[in-house]
Amino acid sequence: MKPQIWHLSDARQSLVLVGENGDLPQIIYWGARLRGEDLAALARAHRMDVTGGMLDENPPLSICPEAARSFSGQAGLKARALEGDLIRPRFKFVSAQEGDNSLALTYADGGLRYTATFAIHPQTHIITAQASISSDAPIYLDWLAAPVFPAPQLSDEMFDFAGRWIGEFQMQPHPWRAGILARDNRTGRTGHEHFPAILLPARGATNCAGEVWALHYGWSGGHAMLAEELPDGRRQIQFGHAPQTEPAPITAFDTAPIYAVFSDHGFNGCATAYQRHLRDEIVTWPHPDRPRPVHYNCWEAVYFNHSLPELKDIATRAADLGAERFVLDDGWFGRRDDDTTSLGDWAIDPRKYPDGLGPLIDHIHTLKMTFGIWFEPEMVNPDSDIYRAHPDWALGATDQILGRQQMVFDMSNAQVREYLYGQIAAVLTAYDIDYIKWDHNRVLPHADASQARGTYALLDRLRADFPRVEIESCSSGGGRIDFGIMARTQRVWLSDSNDALERLRIQHNAALFLPMAVTGSHVGPRHCHTSGRVIGIEMRAWVAAARHMGFEMDPRELTDHEAGVLRDVTAWWKANRDWMRRADILRLDSADPAVIAEQQLAQDGGRFVVFAGKADTSAQILPRPLRLTALEADARYRIRLRNKGDAIGLSRGAPLLKSDDMVVTGQYLMRQGINLPWSFPLTMWVIEGERL
Ligand code: DGJ
């Protein structure tokens, strides 16, 4: 039998799969676009030698490596029959369906069928791949990997993500070496600690140059990932639901989609592919043409102390600063005076709101702001009427360790979903609400995939019935950020840290996946509540203005100077948000490790803004020139320092941008870079550029 060959490609990359003898195919090539290649020759050329101490042939590293074919690395499927026997299939080809940019392959072994789908998006370059299994007889499924991708060989390290509350998106380098790098998220949610992705740079790749491969698993129930180097040197990447999160026997199962992309423009080539794909293909926008509104969120201003006159006063001040949406956070329902009580009792607290939410919402509407509200639907406090009525609705043992004094509803229970739907729908029906901040403040008592499926079902039903309501995914900040939840929401609360310095770093790394349009960023209080730092209003405002901007301090604390800066930066953001919403966020390779810099480049390349944040003091005395990226080498650009006025007395020299615009070529900006004035740490330079 001739090898079966499939080639998916876009202008940037090629993915070539080859199956021999009707067996599962291997991805024999994933990288820069192949042109005019004889694919049959490629299939033969891919074969590797064997030597002493090896089997007589190399067992295929297929899209679902099979133990029964002597593959001695990690298998792509781990399952058991009901009686407990291991299932070790040897799949054989059944059918292939080829579309313009897609491929569906089905294989079977007896009553077990395996399907893998691949689709490559010609504009965003994202490859979406998914695996499914179905079985005539129920089986226990311990692990099914989404289609398995090979990892590059000319690569010495890989990056995955760690994190914590108020410290999300920490990139972790790991050297490639024999054996397995494994992630196994047992928390039952995406988690601050486990953003489900891996980046695989070729040796020498930077933000702006070189080859990088990336994969992200779009699932909110906790993932597992393994990056394995086999004794023969081959490398595989597997992603799937965390093992053993399907406790009951199944007859059908789909992995979540894996989103893969190759870049020959460094990390930025992956970042812009993910940003565009998320914004344009994953998120569904209730009001696609409405500018992203400036948020005001009252959490760090009042916490649980809701007083109608105070909230009205705060709203008036927020509107005056430029806010366009007021979000009433935790504390409006049940008897929620602190975090020990009332989750699950979603009735408005008559002590705080004797006439309901109407008076507050009316006031907010007279200020021309829209109104948003906080829920934490999946959670229940033992001290709540609903828990007292239905203790059996909570997930896990009754004597489990609580998290923030709360338990988790069993979202796989249809009665629970019905109840929550009724409670939320009642509030959305009674009032003119255009936004929900959907929180999730603890890990699960045990990981179970049906929990995320139940949450998705509730979200899908609410979205179908209230299609004009936007939803923000929050989970103590960034504990639930992934493309699965983003298919149902429009914004993420990236972090509970409103510390502009922390935020600068978190935003910078999150931009590897998230565009400005979905990334919430708020100007926090002068004394940061999560770090104790005192950061000037300029830095706080510009960091928020680099993403979907909002405020979260008590506006009554602002001095005239602070209010003036905030008004000015907010006005700037409003004037620029429409093109920035569609812009690419490009991480710059800063020569100075103290500077975290990015360039937001308009879709048509005609304008850009650079945010150069000084996160620390520098080792050398003067700023090093900052190189830009992705400009037209021969075009001329006018460059202007937007916040010249922030230059301080210790900047005694005369770099051109302190006084004038400069007009230079893209070549100069990319090869030499911009000289910026000397500045203190915890400050930001904002540089605007326009192609002439
Ligand atoms: C955690 C969120 O991340 C905060 O922004 C806030 O909404 C609190 N929960 C409310 O309890």
Side-chain angles (χ1 to χ4, degrees):
M1 186 178 177
K2 281 207 315 203
Q4 294 168 296
I5 306 174
W6 296 279
H7 181 196
L8 283 171
S9 64
D10 61 17
R12 172 195 288 199
Q13 70 196 321
S14 284
L15 185 76
V16 181
L17 295 98
V18 172
E20 309 237 25
N21 311 313
D23 298 344
L24 286 173
Q26 315 185 62
I27 295 175
I28 66 152
Y29 180 88
W30 177 31
R33 165 84 197 255
L34 298 170
R35 290 174 201 281
E37 203 76 53
D38 172 354
L39 293 175
L42 221 67
R44 289 207 306 280
H46 178 74
R47 286 186 200 135
M48 297 173 83
D49 203 357
V50 290
T51 182
M54 299 183 80
L55 296 176
D56 297 339
E57 277 178 44
N58 294 305
L61 200 177
S62 75
I63 54 173
C64 183
E66 293 162 299
R69 293 192 190 280
S70 305
F71 183 79
S72 54
Q74 294 297 307
L77 171 69
K78 293 178 184 167
R80 288 167 289 130
L82 288 192
E83 302 73 37
D85 297 343
L86 285 181
I87 297 174
R88 291 210 190 89
R90 295 163 59 89
F91 287 114
K92 279 290 175 192
F93 180 74
V94 174
S95 65
Q97 278 180 307
E98 289 178 76
D100 276 350
N101 298 302
S102 65
L103 177 65
L105 300 172
T106 300
Y107 292 77
D109 181 359
L112 203 59
R113 279 164 306 281
Y114 171 87
T115 299
T117 57
F118 298 85
I120 191 162
H121 195 285
Q123 275 82 46
T124 68
H125 308 298
I126 293 289
I127 301 168
T128 306
Q130 195 161 7
S132 309
I133 197 95
S134 66
S135 171
D136 291 346
I139 57 170
Y140 287 111
L141 182 68
D142 293 333
W143 171 248
L144 177 65
V148 174
F149 282 71
Q153 292 284 321
L154 185 62
S155 171
D156 304 316
E157 62 179 356
M158 49 196 151
F159 292 87
D160 67 0
F161 291 84
R164 58 167 163 79
W165 177 67
I166 62 171
E168 293 82 347
F169 282 93
Q170 299 178 19
M171 282 173 82
Q172 297 194 123
H174 303 274
W176 272 109
R177 52 165 70 116
I180 299 173
L181 167 73
R183 298 297 301 260
D184 185 354
N185 172 1
R186 309 308 306 170
T187 68
R189 68 173 177 182
T190 324
H192 303 83
E193 314 81 3
H194 298 285
F195 179 71
I198 192 159
L199 297 158
L200 306 162
R203 189 177 299 157
T206 64
N207 281 321
C208 301
E211 292 178 309
V212 182
W213 292 256
L215 300 110
H216 162 64
Y217 191 63
W219 172 241
S220 313
H223 81 291
M225 186 275 299
L226 63 90
E228 180 173 34
E229 178 164 308
L230 301 170
D232 59 33
R234 289 180 297 171
R235 293 167 172 178
Q236 64 159 332
I237 307 290
Q238 294 192 6
F239 272 95
H241 286 24
Q244 284 143 7
T245 49
E246 291 296 335
I250 56 109
T251 53
F253 175 84
D254 300 327
T255 69
I258 195 166
Y259 300 95
V261 67
F262 161 77
S263 154
D264 52 9
H265 286 86
F267 288 91
N268 285 336
C270 298
T272 55
Y274 283 120
Q275 291 167 20
R276 293 176 192 186
H277 197 77
L278 181 60
R279 182 190 59 216
D280 301 337
E281 303 299 324
I282 303 277
V283 174
T284 49
W285 300 97
H287 314 274
D289 300 324
R290 186 165 84 176
R292 305 300 284 141
V294 177
H295 277 212
Y296 177 79
N297 181 298
C298 66
W299 177 241
E300 294 203 358
V302 300
Y303 294 103
F304 299 101
N305 303 324
H306 291 205
S307 127
L308 184 59
E310 279 194 41
L311 286 170
K312 282 182 167 177
D313 179 24
I314 287 172
T316 305
R317 291 165 189 259
D320 176 57
L321 294 165
E324 297 162 309
R325 176 185 273 155
F326 182 97
V327 181
L328 185 66
D329 211 282
D330 196 354
W332 57 267
F333 55 93
R335 297 179 70 80
R336 182 102 167 145
D337 296 335
D338 56 32
D339 60 13
T340 62
T341 175
S342 299
L343 290 173
D345 296 342
W346 296 106
I348 295 155
D349 184 346
R351 299 168 308 152
K352 297 176 185 171
Y353 299 97
D355 300 314
L357 294 176
L360 178 61
I361 296 179
D362 289 347
H363 178 73
I364 280 157
H365 286 164
T366 61
L367 297 167
K368 304 264 178 296
M369 285 196 280
T370 67
F371 180 77
I373 194 163
W374 181 94
F375 282 97
E376 194 177 1
E378 295 133 290
M379 299 295 159
V380 59
N381 286 115
D383 182 9
S384 65
D385 293 342
I386 191 64
Y387 183 79
R388 282 182 281 273
H390 294 284
D392 54 313
W393 282 6
L395 192 69
T398 44
D399 64 349
Q400 65 183 269
I401 302 174
L402 302 183
R404 206 194 190 200
Q405 287 84 237
Q406 64 203 47
M407 298 172 90
V408 185
F409 274 129
D410 176 359
M411 297 299 290
S412 69
N413 181 337
Q415 281 179 298
V416 169
R417 293 199 301 271
E418 192 59 38
Y419 167 77
L420 291 173
Y421 175 85
Q423 295 274 302
I424 299 169
V427 177
L428 296 182
T429 307
Y431 298 106
D432 186 358
I433 291 175
D434 83 332
Y435 176 85
I436 293 176
K437 177 176 175 185
W438 185 297
D439 211 339
H440 184 289
N441 284 309
R442 57 158 289 175
V443 300
L444 305 191
H446 57 260
D448 188 328
S450 59
Q451 187 71 10
R453 281 195 291 266
T455 298
Y456 285 175
L458 177 61
L459 277 161
D460 291 346
R461 182 170 173 203
L462 283 164
R463 293 204 61 221
D465 292 352
F466 300 94
R468 298 184 64 74
V469 176
E470 273 191 27
I471 303 178
E472 174 173 62
S473 175
C474 172
S475 182
S476 304
R480 185 156 61 184
I481 298 176
D482 59 79
F483 281 21
I485 202 75
M486 291 309 296
R488 298 161 171 94
T489 54
Q490 292 80 21
R491 192 185 202 242
V492 297
W493 184 227
L494 184 62
S495 178
D496 270 356
S497 177
N498 285 323
D499 176 308
L501 174 61
E502 305 285 345
R503 200 86 185 187
L504 180 70
R505 184 193 56 73
I506 300 169
Q507 284 180 184
H508 191 65
N509 288 347
L512 288 161
F513 301 90
L514 307 180
M516 171 275 211
V518 306
T519 311
S521 193
H522 294 174
V523 181
R526 189 183 309 121
H527 285 84
C528 175
H529 292 188
T530 50
S531 69
R533 274 195 197 102
V534 177
I535 299 182
I537 188 68
E538 292 82 359
M539 176 73 168
R540 282 184 280 148
W542 284 118
V543 167
R547 297 294 184 271
H548 181 185
M549 187 174 193
F551 320 141
E552 194 163 333
M553 88 302 281
D554 187 335
R556 294 171 297 186
E557 79 167 30
L558 295 172
T559 63
D560 288 350
H561 167 73
E562 288 170 331
V565 171
L566 197 49
R567 235 177 249 119
D568 173 49
V569 176
T570 306
W572 178 90
W573 190 76
K574 287 181 178 173
N576 288 278
R577 63 183 158 189
D578 286 340
W579 73 263
M580 281 169 62
R581 172 185 184 164
R582 290 178 183 81
D584 291 330
I585 305 175
L586 301 158
R587 291 156 41 106
L588 294 176
D589 292 313
S590 170
D592 182 347
V595 174
I596 297 178
E598 68 182 35
Q599 174 184 330
Q600 300 196 12
L601 180 63
Q603 223 168 31
D604 66 1
R607 63 194 298 181
F608 62 82
V609 59
V610 171
F611 295 101
K614 191 149 176 198
D616 207 343
T617 45
S618 300
Q620 78 292 343
I621 199 162
L622 288 179
R624 296 187 194 273
L626 179 64
R627 285 188 184 208
L628 308 192
T629 189
L631 303 176
E632 285 174 36
D634 297 335
R636 295 167 74 74
Y637 294 84
R638 183 189 307 283
I639 308 293
R640 169 175 307 140
L641 190 59
R642 169 58 172 75
N643 52 343
K644 292 184 187 64
D646 292 350
I648 47 168
L650 273 176
S651 158
R652 300 189 296 130
L656 180 58
L657 284 178
K658 258 173 83 175
S659 51
D660 288 308
D661 295 355
M662 70 184 197
V663 176
V664 288
T665 61
Q667 185 78 310
Y668 178 82
L669 290 168
M670 293 189 290
R671 302 291 172 162
Q672 172 62 28
I674 301 177
N675 282 324
L676 288 164
W678 193 92
S679 58
F680 283 149
L682 303 190
T683 56
M684 176 91 96
W685 288 125
V686 181
I687 303 118
E688 296 177 294
E690 158 196 21
R691 191 177 53 204
L692 300 177

